[in-house]
């Protein structure tokens, strides 16, 4: 009889919980602890942010599904970790505080045999002065509520443009160490298409601002990819698209302050600039949640579990960029101090960035943090669940399932416009996510053929098909497990 | 120099019939790459 507690019900947490429930008999308990009552398919937030989808199209309530499938659900946020128990309880537990219902505000010690920390990132808006969703004309699409706010503001601006107002729109990253450039990239292309659809494209100046040293870096050091019969850099591909759409760009820019309609930023050459705007969508920095951990005697052992995000089987030895290796990246997402704790998805602490770290002439680090998108989140969550299942069934520790981001492909299907016949998508598939310079020394660490780009209507259909397929899977409809992560 | 999207390329990108076949091809290719397996990296060392 084992109890597996999953913290978080995003892509990673939900994948882990559903696979555990499907493969383990009912004598074992699967418990999900999440402050969110809804599951959201995050990649489709982009379409909520341009008014082409409603939040209801990308979310569903978790509790009824979990009740039906035999997964225990606690709508609570984890407060502290106690991997050795305490003086009262001789079992590991997390302290969780309920955020809804009759128990709201009360805390509970949730004991576990295995713990999956899938709490994802904290959206650290506070790391950039003045950056807060829906203030200072700056918005976010990181959650469906943020995306809804963004659309309402953009819609208002479009109406003003129809009355003759000229507008400046700024989209990109809102901090020198932000990641998730892909989401901002999708959003700017979708906004551009919507402006065209509303007949106001010529009234808007559209600018991309990012901490990337080059266009198309995406936090992955860019890539060499095949595009049709050509081989080109991702920077060339993105530049081609921006030129085609009339989008200006500012790169190597660390946004450090937001005022009403003004973004302040520093560039890698050490210059300080400002950019005015009427509407901005800026991705914040991501950080850990600042969790604390305590041992049996209530001594602080946070450094055993966390370094911002959760410590796993990565090589965290500090080393220069030239000595970074694909072997530094984790394979099983198991905490080295406590073998029954795992952190898949975005919750694990990466050993280092993927993009080459860069600092401005003033010493400010300006370069993207490593991205960990939905696809690797799902894959790593499933392999963690499979290892726990094997351990329980074989009654001995098993870490047979492995999945390093240095031996894993990822498809980024970037929507670049919505519409069954007018839509467009840029499909960029990368293998591996973390470049392996030993295996692929001549192609910037990636396997050509498996690393490719495609632009066109098919990309939009594919993104739309994935939207429906993954929501079907998340709702655990018949044969849901046949759809791969 | 920035590459440009040619008129021919744009036609191919937005032609629903060509793109239907591209959709099938892309779906299968991505499925093979992404779901085609993953693993560790340390054993090879």
């Amino acid at each position: 009889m084992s109890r597996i507690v999953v913290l978080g019900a995003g892509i990673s947490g939900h994948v882990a919980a559903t696979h555990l429930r499907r493969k383990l008999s009912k004598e074992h308990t699967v418990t999900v602890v999440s402050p969110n009552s809804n599951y959201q398919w995050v990649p489709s937030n982009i379409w909520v942010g341009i008014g082409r989808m409603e939040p209801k199209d990308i979310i569903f309530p978790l509790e009824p599904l979990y009740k039906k499938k035999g997964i225990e659900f606690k709508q609570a946020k984890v407060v502290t970790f106690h991997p050795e128990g305490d003086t009262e309880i001789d079992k590991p537990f997390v302290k969780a505080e309920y955020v809804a219902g009759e128990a709201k505000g009360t805390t509970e010690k949730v004991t576990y045999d295995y713990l999956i920390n899938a709490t994802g990132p904290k959206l650290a808006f506070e790391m950039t002065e003045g950056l807060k969703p829906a203030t200072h004309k700056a918005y976010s699409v990181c959650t469906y509520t943020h995306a809804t706010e963004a659309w309402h503001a953009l819609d208002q601006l479009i109406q003003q443009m129809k009355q003759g107002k000229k507008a400046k729109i700024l989209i990109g990253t809102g901090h020198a160490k932000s990641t998730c450039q892909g989401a901002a990239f999708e959003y700017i292309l979708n906004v551009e298409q919507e402006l065209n659809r509303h007949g106001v494209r010529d009234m808007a100046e559209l600018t991309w601002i990012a901490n990337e040293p080059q266009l198309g870096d995406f936090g992955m050091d860019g890539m060499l990819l095949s595009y049709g019969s050509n081989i080109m850099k991702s920077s060339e591909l993105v530049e081609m698209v921006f030129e085609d759409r009339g989008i200006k760009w500012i790169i190597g820019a660390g946004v450090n302050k937001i005022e009403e309609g003004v973004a302040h930023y520093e560039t890698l050459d050490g210059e300080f600039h400002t950019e005015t705007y009427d509407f901005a969508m800026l991705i914040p920095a991501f950080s850990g949640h600042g969790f604390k951990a305590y041992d049996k005697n209530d001594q602080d052992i946070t450094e055993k579990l966390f370094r911002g995000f959760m410590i796993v089987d990565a090589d965290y030895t500090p080393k220069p960029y030239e000595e970074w290796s694909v072997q530094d990246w984790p394979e099983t997402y198991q905490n080295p101090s406590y073998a029954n704790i795992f952190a898949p998805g975005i919750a694990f602490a990466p050993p280092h960035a993927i993009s080459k770290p860069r600092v401005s002439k003033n010493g400010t680090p300006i370069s993207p943090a490593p991205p960990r998108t939905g696809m690797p989140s799902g894959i790593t969550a499933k392999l963690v669940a499979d290892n726990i299942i094997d351990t329980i069934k074989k009654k001995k520790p098993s870490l047979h399932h492995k999945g390093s981001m240095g031996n894993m492909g990822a498809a980024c299907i970037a929507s670049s416009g919505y519409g069954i016949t007018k839509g467009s998508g840029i499909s960029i598939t990368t293998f591996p996510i973390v470049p392996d310079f030993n295996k692929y020394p001549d192609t910037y660490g990636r396997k050509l053929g498996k690393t490719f780009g495609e632009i066109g209507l098919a990309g939009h259909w594919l993104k739309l098909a994935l939207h429906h397929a993954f929501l079907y899977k998340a709702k655990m409809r018949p044969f849901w497990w046949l759809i791969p992560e | 120099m920035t590459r440009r999207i040619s008129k021919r390329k744009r036609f191919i990108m937005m032609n629903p019939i060509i793109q239907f076949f591209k959709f099938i091809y892309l779906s299968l290719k991505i499925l093979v790459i992404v779901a085609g397996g993953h693993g560790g990296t340390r054993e090879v060392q």
Side-chain angles (χ1 to χ4, degrees):
Chain A
M1 268 46 71
S2 296
R3 185 187 204 188
I4 305 103
V5 172
V6 182
L7 306 179
I11 291 175
S12 194
H14 189 66
V15 163
T18 52
H19 279 287
L20 285 162
R21 188 64 288 163
R22 186 175 84 83
K23 292 179 179 172
L24 286 176
S25 61
K26 290 285 160 70
E27 62 179 343
H28 304 290
T29 307
V30 179
T31 303
V32 173
V33 178
S34 170
N36 300 317
S37 59
N38 292 317
Y39 176 86
Q40 66 165 323
W41 178 242
V42 176
S44 297
N45 281 345
I46 298 300
W47 291 331
V48 175
I50 54 160
R52 301 301 290 262
M53 276 192 180
E54 297 284 331
K56 66 177 173 52
D57 299 322
I58 68 164
I59 64 171
F60 64 84
L62 287 163
E63 194 161 14
L65 176 74
Y66 284 167
K67 195 173 180 183
K68 188 175 161 192
K69 298 292 179 183
I71 298 171
E72 189 184 18
F73 180 58
K74 295 176 186 292
Q75 197 181 341
K77 61 175 182 184
V78 66
V79 183
T80 49
F81 289 67
H82 303 261
E84 299 169 7
D86 63 7
T87 49
E88 293 171 6
I89 299 179
D90 198 26
K91 275 198 86 170
F93 67 86
V94 288
K95 199 179 276 180
E97 181 186 326
Y98 285 88
V99 297
E102 287 176 7
K104 186 178 177 181
T106 60
T107 58
E108 181 187 343
K109 293 176 179 178
V110 184
T111 59
Y112 61 82
D113 296 292
Y114 300 92
L115 181 71
I116 299 177
N117 173 18
T119 45
K122 179 186 169 199
L123 302 173
F125 289 100
E126 73 283 359
M127 286 174 69
T128 306
E129 187 183 340
L131 183 64
K132 190 180 171 195
T135 57
H136 298 146
K137 299 183 189 170
Y139 296 83
S140 150
V141 290
C142 293
T143 69
Y144 61 89
T145 46
H146 291 172
T148 307
E149 291 167 348
W151 165 238
H152 288 150
L154 183 63
D155 187 32
Q156 279 180 9
L157 188 62
I158 289 171
Q159 301 314 318
Q160 289 169 11
M161 283 192 271
K162 284 180 177 172
Q163 303 300 317
K165 179 185 166 77
K166 294 257 183 189
K168 290 178 82 175
I169 295 176
L170 184 69
I171 295 172
T173 53
H175 187 269
K177 297 297 290 175
S178 289
T179 181
C180 224
Q181 288 78 10
F185 177 63
E186 283 188 85
Y187 194 61
I188 197 168
L189 296 177
N190 273 275
V191 167
E192 196 272 338
Q193 169 143 331
E194 288 306 301
L195 296 177
N196 268 318
R197 193 168 72 91
H198 287 278
V200 293
R201 177 64 185 93
D202 55 346
M203 304 299 284
E205 183 184 310
L206 210 48
T207 305
W208 170 256
I209 187 165
N211 53 355
E212 305 168 296
Q214 282 191 311
L215 287 175
D217 182 280
F218 295 128
M220 298 196 292
D221 237 359
M223 64 210 73
L224 193 68
L225 45 78
S226 47
Y227 172 64
S229 55
N230 300 316
I231 293 172
M232 65 200 298
K233 290 180 181 173
S234 52
S235 55
E236 294 171 313
L237 183 86
V238 173
E239 192 175 322
M240 181 176 77
V241 172
F242 279 3
E243 280 277 350
D244 188 59
R245 302 282 191 104
I247 296 170
K248 297 176 179 178
W249 60 87
I250 302 165
I251 50 175
V255 173
N256 50 36
K257 187 178 175 184
I258 297 294
E259 290 178 319
E260 188 73 7
V262 185
H264 297 258
Y265 64 95
E266 180 184 348
T267 50
L268 283 167
D269 57 14
E271 302 282 321
F272 292 90
H273 304 271
T274 57
E275 184 71 18
T276 58
Y277 59 83
D278 297 287
F279 171 89
M281 196 295 289
L282 298 168
I283 302 283
F286 289 179
S287 73
H289 292 271
F291 294 128
K292 290 278 184 188
Y294 299 93
D295 71 3
K296 200 167 181 54
N297 301 313
D298 221 22
Q299 296 297 306
D300 191 322
I301 53 162
T302 303
E303 80 288 349
K304 278 184 160 181
L305 282 183
F306 298 102
R307 39 181 290 148
F309 293 95
M310 185 166 257
I311 294 168
V312 292
D313 60 320
D315 182 353
Y316 294 107
T317 315
K319 29 186 159 172
Y321 174 74
E322 291 70 27
E323 291 174 28
W324 287 359
S325 153
V326 75
Q327 282 79 28
D328 299 339
W329 286 78
E331 297 183 337
T332 63
Y333 307 89
Q334 183 186 47
N335 179 263
S337 303
Y338 298 97
N340 59 346
I341 299 181
F342 299 83
I346 305 181
F348 76 85
H352 41 66
I354 302 173
S355 261
K356 185 176 182 177
R358 288 174 168 85
V359 291
S360 75
K361 285 184 178 169
N362 308 313
T364 310
I366 303 175
S367 54
R372 283 162 292 164
T373 54
M375 197 168 278
S377 291
I379 292 172
T380 55
K382 183 167 185 283
L383 75 90
V384 162
D386 281 335
N387 280 332
I388 292 173
I389 291 160
D390 285 354
T391 301
I392 291 171
K393 287 186 173 173
K394 292 175 185 168
K395 295 186 170 62
K396 62 175 184 181
S398 174
L399 292 172
H400 173 69
H401 300 275
K402 292 180 179 177
S404 163
M405 281 169 59
N407 192 4
M408 184 189 295
C412 173
I413 316 294
S415 166
S416 53
Y418 191 93
I420 292 299
T421 56
K422 304 277 186 197
S424 180
I426 301 174
S427 318
I428 299 177
T429 301
T430 308
F431 185 92
I433 300 167
V434 177
D436 188 336
F437 292 101
N438 289 328
K439 240 178 178 174
Y440 312 109
D442 302 323
T443 48
Y444 294 94
R446 302 236 168 62
K447 186 176 172 65
L448 269 185
K450 282 187 171 182
T451 303
F452 68 94
E454 282 288 347
I455 307 175
L457 186 54
H460 173 69
W461 292 343
L462 194 55
K463 176 131 179 144
L464 205 54
L466 291 176
H467 164 90
H468 291 294
F470 281 113
L471 276 171
Y472 181 94
K473 181 182 169 74
K475 289 176 181 174
M476 300 175 80
R477 296 268 166 82
F479 302 107
W480 61 269
W481 65 88
L482 293 175
I483 300 169
E485 282 20 85
Chain B
M1 204 179 95
T2 306
R3 293 178 194 232
R4 305 270 172 188
I5 298 174
S6 65
K7 278 188 178 175
R8 183 177 162 274
K9 201 86 180 166
R10 197 182 307 279
F11 171 77
I12 292 170
M13 279 176 188
M14 299 311 291
N15 183 294
I17 296 164
I18 298 170
Q19 289 296 309
F20 174 74
F21 291 104
K22 186 71 104 180
F23 171 73
I24 306 285
Y25 169 74
L26 262 181
S27 304
L28 293 173
K29 188 170 180 181
I30 290 172
L31 189 71
V32 168
I33 293 170
V34 174
H38 49 78
T41 55
R42 291 173 193 156
E43 286 127 326
V44 293
Q45 280 275 337

